[in-house]
Amino acid sequence: MTWAARDGTLSAVSFDLSVWALPNGATPEQVRAAVQRCREGRHGEQHPDPRVVGFYRAITASYPDRPARPGTPWEVAPLHAAADHVEMNLYPTCPDQVLLDIERLAGEHDLMLFDAQDGSVYPPPARVRS
């Protein structure tokens, strides 16, 4: 998975990513349905998933979202964090390393990654085994 052009530069268009804590075996369609519910403001009453909490703590330890400060990769801060997901709106100039860290941490925390630009869903690397 990559968000950078083949020459390693980033697109001039800003982009949004989110990570989702869904049960093992969740399909891309189920992730897209969860994204749609979020966009409609429907967040069920539930306790925060420990995977989401761990991801949020890890990503904001490297790239703080509170308070918003110069040099942050976040176009919108603080990040939108719910019980089952974290949405990240990134500046188009954000370094490639930020994207690599998001992907790595999603895998470490067993979260599915949703790319809002094209609707792609990526399972955690641990789930992508033959």
Side-chain angles (χ1 to χ4, degrees), residues 48-106:
D49 189 293
R51 298 173 290 172
V52 170
V53 173
F55 174 88
Y56 178 83
R57 287 180 178 161
I59 199 67
T60 58
S62 295
Y63 309 104
D65 68 334
R66 297 169 198 246
R69 51 182 84 163
T72 182
W74 315 124
E75 189 168 34
V76 176
L79 303 181
H80 168 75
D84 61 351
H85 68 280
V86 175
E87 182 179 319
M88 298 156 282
N89 308 101
L90 296 127
Y91 281 113
T93 56
C94 103
D96 290 345
Q97 187 60 52
V98 176
L99 305 174
L100 294 170
D101 289 342
I102 290 169
E103 182 178 10
R104 177 182 53 79
L105 290 170

Side-chain angles (χ1 to χ4, degrees), residues 28-49:
E29 293 76 25
Q30 289 170 310
V31 174
R32 289 184 196 101
V35 169
Q36 186 59 38
R37 285 190 300 275
C38 174
R39 288 179 178 163
E40 294 170 356
R42 295 187 290 144
H43 295 94
E45 294 294 321
Q46 56 185 350
H47 292 286
D49 189 293

